[in-house]
Amino acid sequence: MAREVEWARMTAPDLREIAASGNAMAILPVGSLEQHGPHLPVITDTASAEAAARRAARLVADEVPLAVLPGLWLGMSEHHLPFGGTISLDYTAYFHVLKSIVRSLKAIGFARLLIVNGHGGNIDPLAMSTRELAVEFAMPIVYTTPWMLAPAETAALFETDNGPKHACEGEASVMLAISPDTVKPDKFELAFTNEAGKNEAPHGAHRFYSFSERAPNTGTWGVPAKGTAEKGERFLDLQARELAKLIVDPVLWTKPDAVWRPGRGLDTRAGRAD
């Protein structure tokens, strides 16, 4: 029987045993609760991150002590509020939710955290949050967005879209694979718009855009009608394979340097920090 990897399905003694290994990894899927057009459920980003994280964990469960937390469905989604169905945190709240999770993991003995992100709006907040929390808690914390791993192979799986967008061919495929009863294929054609993707800032400049500025009609960017469950399995298998590589990559999991330690300096004689 395959070893259980889902945190929520284990008992406290099960999790204490994993933590007691001294190098246990928690995996936190993060997503959002936000509009995904008229055809996909608002939980799409969280559900896809959970599916990829669990699938990856099962690939390496025999060699790495780990547990996959329930998906964090609260993300930063202010840009989707105009379409309804969206609940968003601000950055301060998001950071402190993550901080509370890391503090709890540290208290119970987990030594590492991998954050598997399913929502584009979380990328910038995660970059800052993981940087701050890794230093504060002296814990290796890695975040990644599976849709951005192995970009050439990922792009090759799309028939029409040239890569992941929003409520698109890729996300429709994954949801058809993992939760087909929540998908409305009869709305696929209604969801498509060729106006999406406009109003982008010039290269090298950054600003906030509401998604209503980018996809004014349906909140969709991409061609969901090309989504299939078989394609969704292929996306998830690819993402799980790439996540598994990250889980076992020793370069990612060294302990962060204590950069705020008083009196820290470079020992040039030894060629290393003292």
Side-chain angles (χ1 to χ4, degrees):
M1 179 181 295
R3 189 175 77 75
E4 180 61 69
V5 300
E6 294 185 47
W7 186 295
R9 292 171 56 87
M10 298 187 214
T11 65
D14 293 335
L15 291 158
R16 285 201 303 270
E17 182 178 354
I18 294 172
S21 71
N23 199 33
M25 179 184 297
I27 301 177
L28 174 65
V30 299
S32 63
L33 194 71
E34 68 179 31
Q35 72 85 22
H36 273 71
H39 56 297
L40 295 182
V42 294
I43 200 65
T44 291
D45 288 346
T46 308
S48 66
E50 286 181 322
R54 291 179 193 135
R55 196 169 294 205
R58 292 184 183 112
L59 293 177
V60 295
D62 290 337
E63 53 185 303
V64 179
L66 54 76
V68 182
L69 288 152
L72 178 59
W73 58 267
L74 279 167
M76 289 190 61
S77 301
E78 302 101 320
H79 49 307
H80 289 286
L81 287 170
F83 292 94
T86 299
I87 304 295
S88 180
L89 293 175
D90 60 27
Y91 175 71
T92 300
Y94 191 58
F95 173 78
H96 282 285
V97 168
L98 293 173
K99 182 175 180 177
S100 295
I101 292 170
V102 175
R103 182 175 56 196
S104 298
L105 292 171
K106 185 93 172 182
I108 59 180
F110 277 76
R112 303 179 286 168
L113 173 62
L114 173 63
I115 300 176
V116 177
N117 174 47
H119 171 49
N122 291 339
I123 293 174
D124 289 341
L126 285 171
M128 182 59 72
S129 297
T130 56
R131 171 176 171 168
E132 293 292 312
L133 294 172
V135 172
E136 180 174 349
F137 289 94
M139 176 189 288
I141 303 174
V142 174
Y143 81 95
T144 187
T145 302
W147 286 106
M148 295 182 177
L149 299 174
E153 289 182 75
T154 297
L157 294 179
F158 285 89
E159 287 183 59
T160 302
D161 293 334
N162 58 6
K165 294 181 171 58
H166 182 73
C168 60
E169 176 184 346
E171 290 191 320
S173 294
V174 167
M175 293 309 291
L176 284 168
I178 65 176
S179 187
D181 58 311
T182 65
V183 179
K184 297 181 177 180
D186 60 313
K187 303 288 188 181
F188 280 173
E189 292 299 333
L190 174 63
F192 172 72
T193 173
N194 58 12
E195 294 184 10
K198 296 182 178 180
N199 300 317
E200 294 288 340
H203 180 70
H206 303 273
R207 57 152 285 191
F208 171 81
Y209 283 100
S210 165
F211 211 74
S212 61
E213 297 177 84
R214 291 180 164 178
N217 293 323
T218 67
T220 303
W221 186 4
V223 187
K226 292 296 184 179
T228 68
E230 183 274 336
K231 196 181 298 179
E233 292 291 340
R234 291 164 64 193
F235 279 121
L236 288 169
D237 282 344
L238 174 58
Q239 292 174 5
R241 185 197 75 192
E242 294 301 306
L243 287 170
K245 290 180 184 178
L246 300 184
I247 292 170
V248 299
D249 187 339
V251 174
L252 286 176
W253 300 110
T254 56
K255 190 173 181 179
D257 195 3
V259 297
W260 291 109
R261 190 174 69 215
R264 181 189 181 279
L266 183 65
D267 183 349
T268 55
R269 292 167 301 170
R272 63 180 185 273
D274 61 16

